[in-house]
Structures are given as structure tokens and as C-alpha cells.
Amino acid sequence: MTVVNENTFTTYDTFYIGGEWVQPSTDHTITPIDASTEQPLGRVPEGAEADIDRAVAAARAAFDDPSGWAQWEPRRRAEAMERLAEAIDKRADQFVQRVSAQNGMPVAVAQQLEIGYPTAVLRYYAGLARELSTIETREGLFGGPIDVRRYPVGVVAAIVPWNFPQALSMFKIAPAMATGCTLVIKPSPETVLDAYLLAEAIDEAQVPHGVINIVPAGREVGAYLVAHPGVDKVAFTGSTAAGRSIAEMCGRLLRPVTLELGGKSAAIVLDDAELNLAKIGAGLFGSTLLNNGQTCFLGTRVLAPRNRYNEVVEAFTALAGSLTVGIASDPTTQIGPMATARQRERVESYIAKGRSEGARLTVGGARPKDLDQGWFVEPTVFADVDNGATIAREEIFGPVLSLIPYDGIDDAVRIANDSDFGLGGTVWTADPERGAAVAQRIRTGTIGVNRYIPDPAAPFGGVKASGLGRELGPEGLAGYLQIQTVYR
């Protein structure tokens, strides 16, 4: 591997495949851009079909090895996973700097969710690996014992988005490693430099060759990976549109697939909710505007009781207006730039749509006047939004909130469930038991009461257009295991 780092421009010229740094098959490259300054950050090779072929072959060889990774005792795999977590921890500052520069994530967020969180997931699954039971014996109805055997599914194609590149990589790497699978990871072109840090950590941790292979590439090469005959399972996080295409391909191939897709979650403010931002502001921010609004589970539809609607509008307007907008590397920044110029254009088009459809803009709606570089959008709040409006139906993926009035709990539940999506959500109330009762009526994969954070110990995923399957928790192992019945 050749690494050239001149000031802030970092160049790599190889891929990490089969435990080695190998030359790419073409001279095509990817140039990640600093979202805060619009300046190039580096250059890495862009994967092509031949590179995917090589990576899948390496993963297949590692999986099929009669004495290899899939055959290791779970305890031994857990030890390798823990070594990997330690190697990642050693590079914590570099991960934070690279991720936040590439996708605009404020460093204060990256320090928690792109370092501490991924290694917590890895160590959690290392613990589950130690307890993994692969054979259950039960008595058959027709006499004789039956062995129900669970074994690793095989080679996993893991396709990761740019918004939480390390956390969402680990959602796939950790359960795959715990069960004995091998992986080919395709990072998003927008966030490739952190993927090389991960490769360096894998190499240092002496994870067996071919267990994890990393090939940055674009959408077409990702589609080639999904359909590759050497792949046994696909794990994808990204847009619903891309997820549908992947599901169609996997359906034709009868290939197992896990899809964590988009969201348009509801944050339901009950009539007894505390609205003092000094007490709940941090929780509201984390569940509605985290990572510049570029987070799939955020409650971007805020449902407010009509008898307190003006109070709720004032509270969210004050919250959005108080946030510090700035470059991602500033520790005081709460809202950084959009990840790409294209993403800012998308967000701005939705703001224009909200205005044209009659919603009332209470704060934001423009580019910050004091930031003439970077893909920034002010935190934006729309009031008087109908749930049928475009900004209430479609995922914007930016710092834009739609405040919708409701009349009574049944109406709030109806509005919350009137969505094509079902990934996250929150209920805000002074009575947690009442909040939990409301939460159970919402058709969504996950929901919080007065807080929201995907906990590694619990399954995460969506219903409807928000995806298929679950990641995290013990349930996250299921997608990486096949079942065989042996009648004896």
C-alpha cells in the first residue's frame, strides 16, 4: 500500500483484498470532497467489476477453507473481533477527522457515533459470539432425536451509505464475523478515506486474510456485487429507491437480503409534554436534527396537539434557531453542511416545495449568510403542515422539520401511521407509561419515549418502505445464519 499524505490531501493506490494491498484493475479514481470547504480531501482507486470478482473470490476462499474462519470456535472469532475493536480505538482521532470532513458530520457527533458506537457494537457481538449455540437437539413427534443446526450463511455483500459510514459498516461486520461469515464491503464514494483506516485496523488486528475485503465503488459496481454469483447474502443501508432495486434482484436470485432504508418518522408531542428546552432540548435535537438531519430514523414530522400547537411551534422554532451552524471540524458546531452539493440542492428543492404548497416558514429556509463555502442549509421549521404535503410525505434528509397539528390521541396515531415509511419515532410526555401505550400503536420498527438512540442490544430496522429484516441485538445474528435439520 502506498499512502501519500500532503497536509490534508491523502492518496491511496490499492484495495484491501484477501489480506493484502492489491493494485486496482483500472486507473479510475474517486476524489472525496470536504463538505465544509468544497476542497478535495484525497484520492483513492475506484473499484470495477474485476476488483469485485477478486474480492468475492478472496471472501469465498476464506469461507470455504476447511480449517478457516467459518470453522473457528466462536470464542476464537470473538478474540479477533476484540483485537479489531482495539485497533479501531487507536485510530479514533483519524476516523473522526476523516468522516466529519467527508460528510459534514459535526466532530462532536462523530466522536460518539463513528468511534465509540461502532466499537461498542463490535464488542457486543464478540460477547454474543462466545455464547453462540450452533446445534439444538429436540425430540421429533415421530420418534428419534432431531438436530437443528445453525451455520454461517457464507459470503456477505455489505453496501454502506455515507451518513454514518463506520457505524453502519459495523452493523454488518460485527454479526457477520460473530457467525463465521466473510464480507465484501462497498463503501459509498462520498466516504472512502475512513474505509482505508478500517482496512488498516483489520490488517493490524490480524483478522484472517479474506474475511473482510473493502472495495470503494459507485452504484453500478454495487449492483454488480449484489448480483454476483459468489455472494450468499446482501446487507444494504441506503435509500428506499435503491433498496427496491436490490430487493428485486435478490428476489430473482432467491438470495437473502437485509434492507435498512429511508424514514419519515413521527415525533408525537402529547398534551402533557415538557417543553422547556433547557430540560429536553438535547433529546429533541438528537431525535429530530442529529447529523445535520442526514439520519434515517429522525422524527422529521412533529405532531402537536392543537390545544398546545403554538407552544410546540415556538419551542421547535427556538430550538432550530439556537443551533450553532458551522464547519464540521469545529467542536461547537451542532449543524454542519450537507454531505454533497447534490444533497444541498435536494434539501433546498424541498424547502421551496414547502413554501409553494402553503406551509408557514418559522425559521431558516436559506443558506447561512456568514458561510460562503461549504454545502450549508439553515435548520428549517415549517408550521401549519398538512400530512399530505410533499414535505410530510417524502424523506428530505436534511435539517427540515414539518409541524403538524392533531386532535386527540387517536388522530395523532392515525397521522403517524399515515406514511409509506416506518423506521423510527418518538413520543414526548410527562407520563412514560402513557407514552409507551401510544408508542405501541405506531406502525414502526423502533420508537422511543422521551428519547431515541438505536441501542446495540435491541433489533433495529423498519416496516413498510423502511426496509426488511433487522440489525443489532441478538436478532441481528439471524440474518447471517442458515438452518439445517438433521433427522436421527
Side-chain angles (χ1 to χ4, degrees):
M1 173 182 62
T2 302
V3 184
V4 179
N5 195 329
E6 298 179 358
N7 297 322
T8 58
F9 193 88
T10 304
T11 301
Y12 291 90
D13 61 1
T14 54
F15 295 127
Y16 187 71
I17 296 174
E20 298 178 346
W21 297 99
V22 305
Q23 292 297 316
S25 64
T26 75
D27 59 0
H28 296 168
T29 60
I30 296 170
T31 301
I33 305 296
D34 189 319
S36 296
T37 67
E38 303 180 44
Q39 298 302 307
L41 287 165
R43 184 168 52 248
V44 308
E46 180 178 10
E49 293 182 358
D51 304 303
I52 293 295
D53 289 341
R54 186 168 182 175
V56 172
R60 173 59 58 196
F63 183 78
D64 289 344
D65 184 346
S67 59
W69 180 254
Q71 306 305 319
W72 281 19
E73 289 291 325
R75 172 193 54 78
R76 191 178 173 197
R77 291 200 294 265
E79 290 170 354
M81 295 168 69
E82 288 164 349
R83 290 196 305 271
L84 177 55
E86 292 171 3
I88 292 171
D89 284 341
K90 288 169 58 176
R91 294 163 172 80
D93 290 344
Q94 289 176 282
F95 272 111
V96 168
Q97 292 166 7
R98 291 191 184 186
V99 169
S100 63
Q102 292 172 109
N103 70 3
M105 180 185 295
V107 292
V109 176
Q111 286 166 349
Q112 298 179 49
L113 297 182
E114 283 292 279
I115 293 300
Y117 193 98
T119 53
V121 171
L122 192 55
R123 290 184 170 104
Y124 170 75
Y125 274 102
L128 291 186
R130 285 192 163 87
E131 303 169 1
L132 189 62
S133 176
T134 58
I135 296 181
E136 173 196 344
T137 301
R138 62 182 72 159
E139 287 298 316
L141 292 180
F142 302 141
I146 297 171
D147 293 333
V148 178
R149 172 176 166 260
R150 292 171 174 82
Y151 62 96
V153 69
V155 175
V156 176
I159 300 178
V160 184
W162 48 257
N163 61 328
F164 291 94
Q166 288 305 307
L168 295 171
S169 290
M170 207 54 66
F171 279 26
K172 297 150 185 60
I173 292 170
M177 291 184 74
T179 54
C181 295
T182 59
L183 301 103
V184 176
I185 300 172
K186 192 204 79 65
S188 169
E190 286 78 14
T191 46
V192 290
L193 296 178
D194 55 295
Y196 278 86
L197 286 178
L198 176 60
E200 292 170 14
I202 292 165
D203 198 51
E204 179 183 309
Q206 298 182 327
V207 174
H209 293 179
V211 170
I212 306 176
N213 310 273
I214 303 176
V215 182
R219 183 174 300 176
E220 291 183 2
V221 173
Y224 179 78
L225 173 61
V226 167
H228 199 286
V231 166
D232 299 301
K233 176 202 165 57
V234 175
F236 171 80
T237 301
S239 72
T240 295
R244 290 187 193 278
S245 296
I246 290 171
E248 289 173 3
M249 176 61 71
C250 289
R252 289 196 297 271
L253 297 171
L254 299 179
R255 178 166 295 168
V257 61
T258 302
L259 302 172
E260 195 270 283
L261 308 177
K264 194 69 183 178
S265 303
I268 305 173
V269 180
L270 298 188
D271 54 12
D272 63 349
E274 170 69 73
L275 291 178
N276 184 345
L277 293 180
K279 296 181 179 179
I280 68 165
L284 284 178
F285 170 75
S287 61
T288 60
L289 290 164
L290 181 72
N291 192 22
N292 319 330
Q294 298 175 141
T295 306
C296 53
F297 58 69
L298 292 179
T300 54
R301 290 185 300 146
V302 180
L303 278 51
R306 201 173 295 277
N307 62 353
R308 297 189 67 190
Y309 187 73
N310 289 338
E311 290 179 74
V312 175
V313 171
E314 290 174 5
F316 276 91
T317 300
L319 172 65
S322 71
L323 298 174
T324 300
V325 181
I327 61 173
S329 60
D330 187 335
T332 66
T333 291
Q334 295 168 290
I335 297 290
M338 302 295 94
T340 65
R342 182 179 64 255
Q343 186 60 26
R344 180 171 66 176
E345 291 172 3
R346 173 185 170 88
V347 173
E348 289 178 331
S349 72
Y350 277 108
I351 292 173
K353 191 72 171 177
R355 284 173 159 158
S356 68
E357 291 185 351
R360 174 166 58 95
L361 183 69
T362 68
V363 70
R367 300 179 184 183
K369 293 182 175 59
D370 59 340
L371 294 167
D372 55 4
Q373 287 185 314
W375 299 305
F376 293 93
V377 177
E378 292 174 333
T380 299
V381 174
F382 281 104
D384 305 337
V385 178
D386 182 88
N387 196 53
T390 302
I391 59 172
R393 305 303 299 180
E394 299 180 12
E395 185 176 42
I396 299 173
F397 226 58
V400 180
L401 303 181
S402 298
L403 273 58
I404 303 169
Y406 70 82
D407 298 295
I409 296 296
D410 289 345
D411 192 39
V413 170
R414 178 191 64 78
I415 294 171
N417 288 335
D418 180 15
S419 173
D420 293 334
F421 300 98
L423 182 59
T426 49
V427 180
W428 299 87
T429 176
D431 184 348
E433 290 187 5
R434 182 186 182 211
V438 173
Q440 291 169 11
R441 298 177 62 187
I442 309 305
R443 293 180 59 205
T444 187
T446 63
I447 190 166
V449 178
N450 295 331
R451 69 186 187 104
Y452 187 97
I453 182 70
D455 193 299
F460 175 79
V463 299
K464 299 187 280 187
S466 289
L468 297 170
R470 292 294 181 270
E471 296 181 309
L472 300 182
E475 295 81 0
L477 294 171
Y480 297 88
L481 292 167
Q482 289 283 22
I483 298 177
Q484 181 188 54
T485 298
V486 179
Y487 308 110
R488 294 196 282 129

